[in-house]
Amino acid sequence: MSTSTRKLSAAPSGTFVIGGDLPVHRLGFGAMQITGSGVWGPPRDRAEAIRVLRRAVELDVTLIDTADSYGPHVSEELIAEALYPYPEGLVIATKGGFERSGPNRWHANGRPEHLRAACDGSLKRLKLDRIDLYQLHRIDRKVPAEDQFGTLIELQREGKIRHIGLSEVSVHDIEHAREFFPVVTVQNRYNLAERDSEDVLDYCDREGIGFIPWFPLLTGKLADAGGPLAQAAERHQATPAQVALAWLLKRSPVMLPIPGTSRVAHLEENVAAASLTLTDDEFAALEGAVTATGGA
C-alpha cells in the first residue's frame, strides 16, 4: 500500500486497554528478531536494531513485547539502551519461564526460584521499578502450576509486576490461572494460515482478555498468485503480509499483533498495515480460503 500520502502510524489500528488501565495501540512490536541468529547472542547490526526500536516509538507503537530468553537478555538490554528513559504511555511487556542452552534451544523452567530471579533480572535490564505486563512464557508441566501461579501473585503483591499474562496456553489453562489472578493477556501462535488457537481467541474475545498472536505474518500458500490474499494485496497496493496483519486486526477487537523485524524498512511496512481496512467480503474470502485448505 502506498505510504507517501499519509502519515505512518500504529494509531489507526485502534486501541485496547490491557488490564483496564493500560491503553495501547493494537499494532505493537515484537522484539525477538533484534537478537542474533536462532534468537541467540547480539544482532548482526546493532545500530540498526537500535534504530528499529526508536523508529517504532516514533510511529506511535505503544506496546513492545520481549522476553528475558531473547538473546538471552540481549533484547531487553537493547530496549533499555534505545528507549530509556521511556516515553509516557509506552508499555513494555516481557516474559519469564524459559532457559536457553544455545541457538533455537529452549527449555521451560517454572520453578519459583527461577521465575523470581528472571523477573528481578528483567527489572534490572529494562531499568524499571515495575513491569507493566509480565507473562509466563510457558507453563512448565514438570512444576505444579499452583507454584508458578503463586510466584507470579507474590511478585505482583511486592509491586514488581503490574499485570500478568500467559503464553501458549489452552482455555483450561487460562481458567485455572484465573483462580489465582486476573489474566489480562494471552500470547499464542496464531496467524491467517495457522489458527489452531481459535477457541482460545474466542474465549479471550468473550472475556475481554488481550490476545497477542505471535508469528503473525505467516501466510503460507495463501499468498500464491491468483489466490484471495494476493488479489486483496493487489487491490490495496499492499503486500500479502500487510493484508494478513489487516485481517488479524479485523478478526477481533482484542487482537494485538506484534510483528517483529530487525530492519527499519520492514518495520515501516508492517506499521503501514494499521491503515489498511479490509471489506467484509475480503475478510470472509480470506477466512474461507483458510477453511478450504485446512490451513496453509
Side-chain angles (χ1 to χ4, degrees):
M1 61 186 295
S2 174
T3 60
S4 59
T5 59
R6 67 176 71 193
K7 177 183 181 293
L8 269 178
S9 172
S13 65
T15 298
F16 178 79
V17 182
I18 296 174
D21 60 2
L22 288 176
V24 296
H25 292 144
R26 291 204 295 135
L27 186 64
F29 176 76
M32 185 175 75
Q33 294 186 35
I34 60 171
T35 63
S37 177
V39 199
W40 184 260
R44 180 164 43 184
D45 189 338
R46 184 183 185 89
E48 179 73 352
I50 295 291
R51 285 192 291 270
V52 165
L53 290 163
R54 291 175 176 164
R55 183 60 175 151
V57 172
E58 290 174 355
L59 296 178
D60 305 316
V61 169
T62 55
L63 172 63
I64 294 179
D65 178 82
T66 185
D68 68 336
S69 55
Y70 295 168
H73 304 164
V74 172
S75 178
E76 292 181 330
E77 291 168 349
L78 287 172
I79 289 169
E81 179 181 340
L83 301 177
Y84 184 84
Y86 302 112
E88 184 177 357
L90 178 64
V91 173
I92 297 174
T94 192
K95 300 181 286 291
F98 263 140
E99 289 183 311
R100 303 293 305 282
S101 59
N104 293 317
R105 299 178 67 180
W106 309 76
H107 315 279
N109 185 347
R111 296 194 308 273
E113 61 271 23
H114 173 78
L115 294 178
R116 181 169 286 279
C119 180
D120 287 343
S122 291
L123 284 166
K124 182 177 180 180
R125 284 184 294 274
L126 290 168
K127 300 181 180 180
L128 291 170
D129 296 323
R130 181 178 66 175
I131 295 167
D132 279 335
L133 175 58
Y134 195 73
Q135 304 155 94
L136 183 60
H137 212 156
R138 291 294 187 276
I139 297 176
D140 186 348
R141 306 300 175 178
K142 303 184 300 296
V143 177
E146 293 80 1
D147 293 351
Q148 300 170 73
F149 298 158
T151 301
L152 295 174
I153 280 289
E154 290 173 3
L155 293 168
Q156 190 176 52
R157 288 173 177 166
E158 293 167 12
K160 294 183 177 182
I161 58 180
R162 185 172 186 171
H163 293 298
I164 302 172
L166 302 174
S167 179
E168 280 306 304
V169 289
S170 67
V171 171
H172 174 76
D173 291 329
I174 302 170
E175 291 182 332
H176 187 195
R178 292 180 82 185
E179 296 174 9
F180 294 81
F181 51 78
V183 175
V184 302
T185 59
V186 169
Q187 184 167 162
N188 278 17
R189 180 164 174 148
Y190 184 92
N191 49 63
L192 180 57
E194 297 177 324
R195 292 162 53 194
D196 292 340
S197 288
E198 202 76 50
D199 62 329
V200 175
L201 172 56
D202 288 341
Y203 178 87
C204 289
D205 205 344
R206 290 193 305 271
E207 299 296 318
I209 296 170
F211 185 89
I212 304 173
W214 64 273
F215 214 173
L217 297 181
L218 184 68
T219 56
K221 296 179 182 178
L222 296 172
D224 289 352
L229 182 57
Q231 292 174 0
E234 184 176 356
R235 282 193 298 273
H236 289 276
Q237 295 184 305
T239 67
Q242 288 173 327
V243 174
L245 282 172
W247 185 91
L248 287 172
L249 289 167
K250 190 175 179 67
R251 170 63 181 82
S252 168
V254 305
M255 189 81 75
L256 308 173
I258 50 166
T261 182
S262 59
R263 297 182 294 111
V264 169
H266 189 206
L267 167 71
E268 293 176 346
E269 181 179 288
N270 290 338
V271 170
S275 299
L276 196 164
T277 302
L278 300 179
T279 66
D280 291 342
D281 288 343
E282 288 172 330
F283 178 86
L286 291 170
E287 187 168 39
V290 173
T291 302
T293 59

